[in-house]
Amino acid sequence: MQDRPRRLRRTPALRALTREVHLHPEQFIHPIFVHERDTVTDIATMPGVQRHSIESAVEQAREALSLGIPSVILFGIPDHKDALGTQAYAEEGIIQRATRAIKASVPGISVIADTCLCEYTDHGHCGPLCEVPGLSGPDAWTVDNDPSLDLLARTAVSQARAGADVVAPSAMMDGQVAAIRAALDAAGFTHVPVMSYAVKYASAYYGPFRDAAGSTPSVGNRATYQMDPAGGYREALREARLDAEQGADTLMVKPVLAYLDVLSLLKREFDLPVVAYNVSGEYSLIKAAAAAGFMDERRTVLETLTGMRRAGADAIITYHAMDAARWIAEDARK
């Protein structure tokens, strides 16, 4: 045989020499849950992940940067929730205070603020509610789109004022990127990028996050504004195109494991960086399988993240970020 592909797989050095996809800590974004307490509490459905105090969140950011991870994304868990999610855009809100503390103590790290209302509303949705005409019962409620835009814009400006390097709107409201971009520019934050959750599905993979953030909806259905998993490429391209036209600086696909084809589609079709969100359920599946002895956690995590990079992800939000960065460093020392 003339053609023997195995020749280039014979040794670790040869495999490294011909490798097309490389995984580096600078491609990771480390998520941090921040609550109002002075304690660090474990999240039962996400082994190894905690709700952090502001002081602990600062230490998380410092550790991430020491591992070569250049960015963190913050999710706030306030003590007070109400129908309008007022703590999301309060000047002394939990994310605003955490951002100021991190930027003061770890100035070299990039802080991304999740720009949404679901963690701050008492009903768990991404904006004020309204009734769906013609329906009755608990599913007759959805988010009132246009009034939510003003609240999301106020949230983004308050986050930028607190020092956030990037705002990341995740509510899936029509027109949210345009509203946020206009508000940021009007407030003098023309330099702050918008990382759009452009393609975000109504997914079962978010289950552990709902527990972590206390944002399980009490009424209604997020499927009225998040995307249908069976929607196909047309809907994904439409959502991404609208956000790009409205001024998004990056596009995101969330979740990612069941949507690697969509990630590749956005990478081909748009001249913007593409971010993959390796969500809570994807994380917890691997942790549970590893704890049961069904899979090798290290190999599975690195293979999974490499697959996201191969599909086109320029950056990956992942709860595995710290561990993966350590493993990559260990492999480099061998």
Side-chain angles (χ1 to χ4, degrees):
M1 285 184 288
Q2 198 69 9
D3 196 353
R4 292 182 181 269
R6 285 181 58 184
R7 291 186 187 116
L8 296 176
R9 303 176 195 149
R10 186 169 53 86
T11 67
L14 284 172
R15 292 193 294 273
L17 181 68
T18 56
R19 198 163 284 149
E20 295 180 59
V21 180
H22 296 275
L23 200 60
H24 300 290
E26 59 262 31
Q27 296 153 351
F28 301 153
I29 300 168
H30 175 56
I32 306 175
F33 294 100
V34 192
H35 63 181
E36 304 269 9
R37 317 296 168 82
D38 291 330
T39 58
V40 176
T41 60
D42 291 333
I43 299 168
T45 53
M46 299 179 68
V49 179
Q50 298 83 29
R51 296 185 189 93
H52 291 273
S53 65
I54 291 177
E55 181 180 356
S56 177
V58 170
E59 291 309 310
Q60 282 277 296
R62 183 175 288 113
E63 183 177 1
L65 190 60
S66 73
L67 291 169
I69 300 167
S71 303
V72 296
I73 184 167
L74 304 183
F75 299 94
I77 308 166
D79 279 347
H80 171 73
K81 301 189 179 192
D82 55 42
L84 297 179
T86 55
Q87 286 300 301
Y89 40 90
E91 292 302 317
E92 291 301 315
I94 183 63
I95 287 301
Q96 289 77 3
R97 286 185 285 131
T99 298
R100 287 194 290 267
I102 290 171
K103 293 303 292 185
S105 298
V106 196
I109 202 155
S110 176
V111 173
I112 303 167
D114 179 69
T115 306
C116 197
L117 303 175
C118 63
E119 296 123 275
Y120 306 89
T121 56
D122 53 11
H123 46 72
H125 281 283
C126 302
L129 295 181
C130 64
E131 290 189 84
V132 181
L135 291 181
S136 60
D139 290 336
W141 294 92
T142 189
V143 175
D144 199 351
N145 192 95
D146 293 5
S148 300
L149 299 182
D150 177 61
L151 302 184
L152 291 166
R154 289 172 63 183
T155 301
V157 170
S158 73
Q159 292 169 339
R161 190 176 292 120
D165 298 286
V166 181
V167 297
S170 59
M172 287 301 288
M173 295 295 108
D174 293 342
Q176 65 182 12
V177 172
I180 287 169
R181 183 71 271 161
L184 288 171
D185 291 352
F189 296 109
T190 57
H191 60 285
V192 174
V194 176
M195 177 183 285
S196 167
Y197 286 65
V199 180
K200 180 180 177 181
Y201 291 91
S203 174
Y205 284 100
Y206 303 150
F209 181 96
R210 305 291 178 235
D211 176 47
S215 61
T216 301
S218 58
V219 296
N221 191 336
R222 282 201 175 95
T224 60
Y225 50 100
Q226 294 177 359
M227 292 168 57
D228 181 359
Y233 294 156
R234 181 174 58 199
E235 185 180 28
L237 285 172
R238 184 184 186 194
E239 287 282 5
R241 175 178 52 80
L242 286 169
D243 282 6
E245 290 172 351
Q246 291 172 26
D249 296 282
T250 70
L251 303 173
M252 189 189 301
V253 177
K254 178 186 180 184
V256 65
L257 276 182
Y259 303 93
L260 290 172
D261 57 331
V262 178
L263 182 68
S264 292
L265 177 70
L266 264 60
K267 184 66 175 178
R268 291 194 303 271
E269 296 293 328
F270 295 92
D271 189 22
L272 288 173
V274 179
V275 180
Y277 195 148
N278 179 208
V279 300
S280 59
E282 297 166 348
Y283 169 87
S284 294
L285 284 173
I286 292 178
K287 296 295 284 190
F294 296 158
M295 301 176 78
D296 181 303
E297 180 178 353
R298 177 174 176 153
R299 289 186 60 196
T300 305
V301 167
L302 294 178
E303 181 178 344
T304 299
L305 297 177
T306 299
M308 295 172 191
R309 285 278 297 140
R310 188 177 61 249
D314 295 291
I316 304 170
I317 301 172
T318 177
Y319 303 95
H320 298 292
M322 296 275 213
D323 286 337
R326 293 187 189 98
W327 295 331
I328 291 168
E330 289 172 6
D331 288 344
R333 289 193 293 266
K334 290 180 180 177

